[in-house]
């Protein structure tokens, strides 16, 4: 059993750097991968077919069988690499066992962290594993694979529904996105750069094409600065607590809604005035993962915003918050945001860039229509995802019944 290694400088290419946040509940997450530029993988953490990954701190109980997609990855220091004796236990069975309630309870019983959950090598080795005969292990693996396959189909339906929102929005706005070929070499004339950024990335052909089609919309286009009354950065707090106000980070702003799988809390007397949220507040990610936006849901109304999130106060008479959320989550909105990225390795927006974002602003009744339809489709997708999760949870319960019968 080995710890991973600590690397804090990321790169745009190289080996994938696997963090605890990449160990999802149902496999390796690939939404926000990180890479590190090193010559080779350290010998102590090279992965093989019998390797098994376990989260060491931050979020306990996350485990994964090593698949081809992560064999050439570097493990962070918050992940254990465990080499298994595959003559005794099948890695996929161990994964199913440790993800069951029987396994998860043992992780949290062995938590020896004060503020941040953590498990030591000694504590991990002390976890008791029900070890049925190989035929029972194989049955459980097959059973769970079937459940995950059903879950995957439900999630694909949900993804298709969410993807359809983009086409709907563009159609309602009268915009047709072009198929743009990436070009490494292109020409921009000096007159076209007057008063604008001069770096090549800003002037890539895909961004110029989006600007062109944006102007073809049947509705007016305006700068975000004309639709807002205030813009503030969040606050930096690095010490978390087991209680207090929720501390909202960029990782909590999902692509389709607020993420609640790994909340953090801070013990402060009150929410700072500058980040106190109202019905007209709107959130935009500032660095790390660009393009994440959210209206103010009830679940985050009383939260402290992290420093990597902008709080934007909207003029409610000019722009519908739900419409703005839908617009910026669309393909064209995402492209407009990424064009203004000023970061080199870590993507970043500053306040002037946010204010300069272009927004298509139809009449208010059209904004409401678009927002309502997008919400309806998201709601249907959320229902499918809930059904998918239920399938897996019921499968886990069945596995627990089999395991308890074997004890």
């Amino acid at each position: 059993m080995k710890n991973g290694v600590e690397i804090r400088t990321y790169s745009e290419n190289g080996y994938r750097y696997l963090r605890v946040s990449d160990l999802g509940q149902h496999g390796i997450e690939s939404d926000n991968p990180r890479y590190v530029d090193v010559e080779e993988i350290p010998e102590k953490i090279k992965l093989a077919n019998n390797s098994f990954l376990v989260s060491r701190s931050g979020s306990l109980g996350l485990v994964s069988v090593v698949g081809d997609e992560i064999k050439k990855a570097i493990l962070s220091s918050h992940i254990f690499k465990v080499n298994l004796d595959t003559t005794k236990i099948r890695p996929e069975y161990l994964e199913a066992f440790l993800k069951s309630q029987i396994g998860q309870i043992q992780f949290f019983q062995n938590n020896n962290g004060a503020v941040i959950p953590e498990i030591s090598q000694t504590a991990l080795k002390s976890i008791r594993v029900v070890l049925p005969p190989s035929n029972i292990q194989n049955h459980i693996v097959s059973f769970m694979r079937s459940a995950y396959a059903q879950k995957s189909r439900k999630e694909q339906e949900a993804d298709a529904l969410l993807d359809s929102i983009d086409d709907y929005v563009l159609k309602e706005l009268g915009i047709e996105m072009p198929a743009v070929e990436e070009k490494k070499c292109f020409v921009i004339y000096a007159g076209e750069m007057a008063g604008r950024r001069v770096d090549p990335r800003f002037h890539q052909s895909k961004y110029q094409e989006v600007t062109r089609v944006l102007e073809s919309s049947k509705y007016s286009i305006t700068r975000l600065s004309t639709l807002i009354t205030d813009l503030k950065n969040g606050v930096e707090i690095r010490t978390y607590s087991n209680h207090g106000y929720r501390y909202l980070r960029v990782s909590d702003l999902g692509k389709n809604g607020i993420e609640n799988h790994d909340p953090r809390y801070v013990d402060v007397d009150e929410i700072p005035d500058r980040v106190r949220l109202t019905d007209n507040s709107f959130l935009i990610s500032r660095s790390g993962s660009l393009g994440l936006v959210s209206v103010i849901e009830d679940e985050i109304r009383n939260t402290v915003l992290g420093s990597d999130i902008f709080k934007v106060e909207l003029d409610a008479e000019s722009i519908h918050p739900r419409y703005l959320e839908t617009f910026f989550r669309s393909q064209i909105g995402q492209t407009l945001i990424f064009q203004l990225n000023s970061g080199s390795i870590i993507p970043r927006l500053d306040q002037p860039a946010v204010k300069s974002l272009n927004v298509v602003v139809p009449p208010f009744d059209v904004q409401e229509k678009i927002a309502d339809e997008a919400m309806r489709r998201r709601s249907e997708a959320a229902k499918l995802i809930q059904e998918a999760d239920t399938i897996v949870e019921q499968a886990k319960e069945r596995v627990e019944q089999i395991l308890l019968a074997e004890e």
Side-chain angles (χ1 to χ4, degrees):
M1 184 186 298
K2 301 291 185 184
N3 290 26
V5 295
E6 182 71 18
I7 300 178
R8 298 189 178 185
T9 302
Y10 300 138
S11 172
E12 292 184 350
N13 49 55
Y15 289 103
R16 180 162 181 186
Y17 187 61
L18 210 64
R19 305 154 297 164
V20 169
S21 57
D22 296 320
L23 302 182
Q25 293 293 333
H26 309 301
I28 298 299
E29 301 284 356
S30 57
D31 286 348
N32 186 29
R34 290 285 186 263
Y35 299 90
V36 291
D37 187 11
V38 296
E39 293 183 0
E40 61 180 357
I41 299 174
E43 189 66 33
K44 74 169 186 173
I45 57 170
K46 282 187 176 178
L47 302 174
N49 288 334
N50 67 337
S51 297
F52 190 81
L53 306 182
V54 181
S55 59
R56 182 178 70 82
S57 64
S59 297
L60 293 189
L62 297 178
V63 299
S64 180
V65 173
V66 171
D68 290 338
E69 79 276 18
I70 59 170
K71 269 189 181 174
K72 293 185 178 180
I74 292 180
L75 305 182
S76 88
S77 59
H78 299 287
I79 298 176
F80 285 127
K81 182 196 79 165
V82 182
N83 287 336
L84 302 176
D85 181 351
T86 54
T87 64
K88 295 180 179 178
I89 191 164
R90 187 170 172 178
E92 295 87 353
Y93 164 73
L94 181 61
E95 180 181 39
F97 172 79
L98 291 177
K99 285 182 175 179
S100 72
Q101 188 175 6
I102 301 170
Q104 291 291 297
I105 287 174
Q106 292 190 75
F107 275 109
F108 289 95
Q109 283 178 331
N110 285 284
N111 171 27
N112 57 13
V115 176
I116 298 177
E118 185 171 354
I119 189 169
S120 66
Q121 286 197 23
T122 301
L124 181 58
K125 289 177 181 178
S126 72
I127 289 179
R128 300 178 65 190
V129 178
V130 178
L131 194 61
S134 59
N135 65 316
I136 300 297
Q137 292 187 37
N138 292 338
H139 171 67
I140 288 174
V141 170
S142 177
F143 186 72
M144 289 306 301
R145 277 183 178 171
S146 175
Y148 282 121
Q150 293 177 63
K151 179 180 188 294
S152 178
R153 287 192 290 271
K154 289 278 187 182
E155 290 174 336
Q156 287 173 10
E157 288 182 52
D159 288 342
L161 199 53
L162 291 170
D163 289 343
S164 73
I165 295 175
D166 200 67
D167 291 337
Y168 166 74
V169 172
L170 294 176
K171 182 179 179 181
E172 288 295 318
L173 296 180
I175 296 173
E176 184 174 343
M177 287 292 286
V180 181
E181 181 183 353
E182 290 281 354
K183 295 181 181 179
K184 293 184 178 180
C185 182
F186 50 89
V187 176
I188 296 292
Y189 296 100
E192 297 178 80
M193 298 195 303
R196 306 170 75 188
R197 280 168 44 173
V198 296
D199 56 287
R201 179 170 58 190
F202 180 87
H203 294 280
Q204 286 180 11
S205 54
K206 63 181 179 182
Y207 297 134
Q208 304 312 310
E209 280 297 306
V210 165
T211 299
R212 182 183 63 79
V213 300
L214 191 68
E215 293 171 351
S216 70
S217 173
K218 56 187 176 182
Y219 300 118
S220 63
I221 302 168
T222 186
R223 300 281 187 178
L224 184 60
S225 59
T226 67
L227 304 172
I228 68 177
T229 59
D230 193 26
L231 174 61
K232 292 284 193 300
N233 290 25
V235 295
E236 180 71 17
I237 301 178
R238 298 190 178 186
T239 303
Y240 300 139
S241 174
N242 289 324
H243 57 272
Y245 290 100
R246 181 170 177 182
Y247 186 62
L248 207 68
R249 303 157 297 161
V250 167
S251 57
D252 298 320
L253 301 182
K255 291 192 300 183
N256 298 297
I258 298 299
E259 300 283 355
N260 293 309
H261 64 276
D262 186 28
R264 290 286 187 265
Y265 299 88
V266 290
D267 188 11
V268 295
D269 291 335
E270 61 180 0
I271 298 172
D273 284 341
R274 74 173 185 175
V275 294
R276 195 176 295 279
L277 302 176
T278 71
D279 289 338
N280 296 328
S281 298
F282 188 80
L283 307 182
I284 300 177
S285 59
R286 185 176 71 86
S287 66
S289 297
L290 294 190
L292 300 176
V293 299
S294 180
V295 297
I296 304 307
E297 308 280 6
D298 286 341
E299 63 189 306
I300 61 168
R301 190 172 299 276
N302 293 313
T303 60
V304 177
L305 295 186
S307 59
D308 291 326
I309 299 176
F310 286 122
K311 185 194 79 163
V312 183
E313 287 296 325
L314 302 178
D315 178 356
E317 294 184 0
S318 303
I319 192 78
H320 192 298
R322 285 282 183 192
Y323 165 74
L324 189 64
E325 178 186 63
T326 302
F327 176 78
F328 279 136
R329 285 180 179 175
S330 72
Q331 184 182 356
I332 196 164
Q334 291 287 292
T335 304
L336 292 170
I337 290 173
F338 275 87
Q339 182 182 17
L340 299 176
N341 170 27
S342 59
S344 53
I345 295 175
I346 300 177
R348 185 177 300 277
L349 291 179
D350 57 24
Q351 288 198 17
V354 171
K355 290 179 180 179
S356 72
L357 282 166
N358 282 319
V359 182
V360 179
V361 185
F364 214 81
D365 61 328
V366 176
Q367 292 183 39
E368 288 183 319
K369 175 188 173 184
I370 292 173
D372 289 346
E373 178 59 22
M375 279 189 66
R376 185 192 69 77
R377 298 189 191 195
R378 287 197 193 102
S379 178
E380 285 295 314
K383 182 179 177 182
L384 286 167
I385 291 171
Q386 180 60 52
E387 290 172 358
D389 289 339
T390 299
I391 289 170
V392 170
E393 290 307 312
Q394 289 176 343
K396 286 181 180 179
E397 291 175 6
R398 177 58 185 148
V399 167
E400 289 162 15
Q401 292 171 2
I402 294 172
L403 294 176
L404 291 173
E406 286 294 315
E407 285 192 317

